[in-house]
Amino acid sequence: MAIVFFFSLQLSGCLILAVSIYLRVSKGGNEITDQYFPAVNLMIAIGAIIMVLGFLGCCGALKESRCMLLLFFIFLLIIFILLVAAGIAGAVSQNKMEDWVNKQLKAMLPLANQPQSVKSDLENLQKDLKCCGLVNGKTDWSPDPFPESCRCNYTISATPVPGAECGSDRYYSTPCSTRIVNLMKENMVIVLGIAFGIAVLLIFGLAFSMALYCQIGKKDGPTTNA
């Protein structure tokens, strides 16, 4: 039973690692937003560590090695404490998220001084999130001309694209900082849910490893005394 659990734990680590790498590759590559979504990098690290620890637990259970099981328990306990601390910190600091994002984005103004790679990333971001500028709207692009990605795409009936907030000048009126903050808040619930699921898995791992550790100790006790 314990071996099956440790093997399942290892598979869970592989799954978390694979999904996280996929998200990093498919959603990453934007210099502006990458720094605001560190959760994916954290999930990659957690997935890799759980995969290695699952292998350690399997070896400890198969060889009935108390040393391996004790190491497994200690490392799993450390990860559990760090995960709980990170979850609490994320939930508490959620209200300060908007101020922090705005402060970081304001440091990138004016956009005219940014390299072309950053400007291209922002244009792609404006197309995806239907926004314009970083903090103050289209004026963030001054004195450069406003890019076409700031324009609202109207249909033949002059109805704006769903989700777009267009001004009278047919430019998106919402700055990208607002979109980024809303996206982070929406994803925070998902991240906390995943963290809770991993925490429950770690609790079972702690219980199984300690139970097996004590069971092997009782089995070895009479032999040692003999």
Side-chain angles (χ1 to χ4, degrees):
M1 180 66 180
I3 296 177
V4 173
F5 174 79
F6 290 134
F7 183 70
S8 301
L9 185 66
Q10 187 177 10
L11 289 180
S12 300
C14 292
L15 181 61
I16 294 172
L17 182 62
V19 172
S20 301
I21 291 177
Y22 169 76
L23 291 175
R24 191 74 179 94
V25 173
S26 61
K27 303 298 183 182
N30 191 300
E31 295 182 38
I32 298 174
T33 57
D34 280 356
Q35 58 181 318
Y36 305 116
F37 296 95
V40 177
N41 296 331
L42 179 62
M43 295 302 291
I44 291 176
I46 291 177
I49 293 173
I50 290 178
M51 183 177 65
V52 173
L53 289 180
F55 177 76
L56 181 64
C58 283
C59 291
L62 287 172
K63 295 184 177 182
E64 295 188 347
S65 171
R66 299 187 74 197
C67 180
M68 286 186 177
L69 290 172
L70 184 59
L71 286 175
F72 175 85
F73 179 86
I74 293 174
F75 285 127
L76 214 62
L77 181 61
I78 293 174
I79 294 175
F80 176 77
I81 294 173
L82 292 177
L83 189 63
V84 171
I88 294 175
V92 170
S93 62
Q94 190 171 359
N95 294 330
K96 301 178 181 179
M97 188 184 302
E98 185 171 359
D99 294 336
W100 179 77
V101 171
N102 285 332
K103 181 179 179 180
Q104 298 297 317
L105 292 178
K106 282 181 180 178
M108 301 178 67
L109 299 177
L111 289 173
N113 296 337
Q114 292 296 326
Q116 186 58 43
S117 60
V118 174
K119 294 180 181 179
S120 298
D121 284 340
L122 179 55
E123 289 198 48
N124 292 331
L125 192 66
Q126 290 175 160
K127 292 177 183 177
D128 294 337
L129 300 183
K130 299 179 177 61
C131 54
C132 184
L134 287 175
V135 180
N136 306 309
K138 64 180 182 179
T139 56
D140 290 341
W141 286 98
S142 299
D144 290 347
F146 305 143
E148 287 297 316
S149 57
C150 276
R151 289 186 177 275
C152 303
N153 295 321
Y154 277 78
T155 61
I156 298 176
S157 60
T159 302
V161 176
E165 297 176 7
C166 295
S168 57
D169 53 1
R170 293 194 174 185
Y171 283 97
Y172 292 128
S173 59
T174 305
C176 291
S177 60
T178 302
R179 298 292 194 199
I180 292 174
V181 169
N182 291 340
L183 190 61
M184 291 177 69
K185 288 181 178 180
E186 291 172 3
N187 291 335
M188 182 64 71
V189 178
I190 300 175
V191 171
L192 290 177
I194 294 175
F196 177 78
I198 295 175
V200 172
L201 188 65
L202 295 182
I203 291 175
F204 277 105
L206 291 170
F208 268 104
S209 60
M210 184 51 63
L212 190 58
Y213 176 85
C214 295
Q215 182 180 350
I216 295 174
K218 291 179 181 179
K219 185 188 299 184
D220 294 342
T223 305
T224 304
N225 294 334

